[in-house]
Amino acid sequence: MVPLQLDWIHIQEILDKWKPGWTEADWWGLDNPFEKLLGSILVQHTTWSNASRGLKRLRAKGWNRSERVARVPDEQLMEAIRPAGFYQNKAATIHRVCRWLNGYGGIRPVAANFSRDRLREELLTIKGIGPETADMLLLYVFGKTSFIGDTYTRRLMLRLRGVKMDDRDIRQSVLSQIRNQDVLRRFHALIVELGKEHCKKRRPRCHSCPFREECIYVEAGGETGGR
């Protein structure tokens, strides 16, 4: 069992100092909650650049509301999101989520009427929505207190502290120390940015990483091979 009391607040503070003034809006480049929902699905198994291309094509067609997207024929939706890859599966997931969402009246009624845990259970019953996407939607779309135990966070904790964690471990551990939604959203976004800029899967840029002075991976010679 992974201990819950890891130093998440310290990690969050280091990341805050790394990019002072940087916001969640800088990360997403979006304000519309429904577009964030679409983006969370489109980014599965691809880069944000590809997901964003698909999202822009949906926006250009005026398909940026759940009731509109639910009526778009399968073939047209697939063609619009083709740049995001896996477009057949993603189109089917988007249609399922939109129908589910419309059945409850939209994002605001769902956010108001569902507890976090019940909403997470509901989301996980929708084919194509896994734990990581469900937590993304909870935190960034529905305004629930959650956290995303994604690849970037798992890699950071393995390298930084030598602790192997799954998404459930991470979510419970972070939420045991941090509950503010604004902080949680920014914290997750900063971890993703760290993973893209420094803590890469291959050839990490440890020499300029804000954690270089306290990272187990660096101490073990990570920049010259390591783990």
Side-chain angles (χ1 to χ4, degrees):
M1 183 68 179
V2 175
L4 292 177
Q5 292 303 316
L6 294 166
D7 51 349
W8 293 108
I9 294 175
H10 171 71
I11 293 170
Q12 180 259 324
E13 289 174 345
I14 294 293
L15 289 173
D16 269 348
K17 292 177 183 177
W18 173 52
K19 283 187 180 287
W22 192 81
T23 67
E24 173 199 342
D26 294 323
W27 186 61
W28 275 101
L30 300 171
D31 294 319
N32 185 321
F34 181 66
E35 289 192 350
K36 290 180 180 179
L37 181 150
L38 293 174
S40 297
I41 296 170
L42 293 176
V43 79
Q44 294 174 357
H45 310 297
T46 192
T47 64
W48 178 249
S49 176
N50 290 337
S52 183
R53 288 168 60 201
L55 193 56
K56 287 177 181 177
R57 292 174 69 164
L58 292 174
R59 187 186 299 126
K61 292 177 178 293
W63 299 343
N64 57 354
R65 294 173 59 184
S66 62
E67 58 270 25
R68 292 178 182 173
V69 175
R71 296 194 297 266
V72 176
D74 293 342
E75 295 78 9
Q76 293 182 33
L77 183 58
M78 286 189 286
E79 181 57 32
I81 66 171
R82 184 181 289 269
F86 301 94
Y87 54 89
Q88 292 179 319
N89 290 339
K90 291 179 182 179
T93 300
I94 288 171
H95 269 153
R96 282 190 288 266
V97 171
C98 287
R99 287 193 291 266
W100 169 83
L101 197 60
N102 293 341
Y104 287 109
I107 289 174
R108 287 186 179 180
V110 168
N113 296 321
F114 282 73
S115 69
R116 179 196 63 190
D117 292 343
R118 184 188 166 201
L119 181 51
R120 192 172 193 274
E121 290 176 2
E122 284 269 339
L123 290 168
L124 290 173
T125 66
I126 302 172
K127 186 177 180 181
I129 302 296
E132 184 177 323
T133 304
D135 287 322
M136 283 283 292
L137 298 178
L138 286 171
L139 184 60
Y140 289 108
V141 176
F142 296 106
K144 302 296 183 180
T145 302
S146 191
F147 200 72
I148 303 95
D150 58 13
T151 300
Y152 296 104
T153 312
R154 294 194 298 271
R155 184 190 306 148
L156 175 63
M157 294 313 295
L158 182 60
R159 288 179 174 170
L160 183 62
R161 297 291 180 256
V163 179
K164 187 174 183 179
M165 309 178 76
D166 61 22
D167 66 289
R168 181 175 178 272
D169 294 329
I170 290 168
R171 186 173 64 256
Q172 291 185 342
S173 184
V174 171
L175 295 181
S176 72
Q177 298 178 41
I178 304 173
R179 302 290 296 180
N180 182 283
Q181 291 177 18
D182 290 335
V183 174
L184 288 166
R185 287 191 287 264
R186 176 174 155 82
F187 186 25
H188 170 255
L190 284 167
I191 289 175
V192 174
E193 287 303 295
L194 185 82
K196 291 178 178 179
E197 294 186 26
H198 295 288
C199 201
K200 299 170 177 285
K201 182 177 181 180
R202 297 182 179 87
R203 298 182 180 178
R205 298 172 180 170
C206 302
H207 68 283
S208 55
C209 176
F211 294 104
R212 63 188 176 277
E213 300 298 329
E214 57 183 271
C215 180
I216 291 174
Y217 182 80
V218 172
E219 290 177 1
E223 289 183 271
T224 58
R227 219 166 306 178

